[in-house]
Amino acid sequence: MVQQFAQQQHGSEGPQAQDQVKSRKADQSQEQEDALDAVLDDISSTLETDAETYVSSFVQKGGE
């Protein structure tokens, strides 16, 4: 229902306002992509440095 309301609001906006919304969404998508890339780079560098220790940290031992 919230989405329907939001869509109705966007339908009443002018082309300039719609462009601003699209621009904000594109900026947010880029920020999320950059954050994800940073996490993946961190994992990659950790694996390059010491993959065995990194993987073994996820292995359960005994009755854990």
Side-chain angles (χ1 to χ4, degrees):
M1 296 178 95
V2 175
Q3 291 174 346
Q4 291 173 347
F5 181 73
Q7 288 175 353
Q8 289 173 355
Q9 284 182 333
H10 290 301
S12 64
E13 295 174 347
Q16 186 178 19
Q18 290 175 354
D19 289 342
Q20 289 176 347
V21 170
K22 288 179 185 178
S23 177
R24 274 187 263 134
K25 287 182 180 181
D27 290 343
Q28 289 173 345
S29 294
Q30 185 63 42
E31 289 173 7
Q32 290 174 345
E33 185 178 329
D34 292 343
L36 180 59
D37 284 342
V39 170
L40 293 175
D41 288 341
D42 187 38
I43 291 170
S44 179
S45 66
T46 301
L47 289 174
E48 287 174 4
T49 305
D50 195 3
E52 186 176 350
T53 303
Y54 181 78
V55 173
S56 67
S57 70
F58 292 100
V59 176
Q60 288 185 338
K61 298 175 179 90
E64 290 182 19

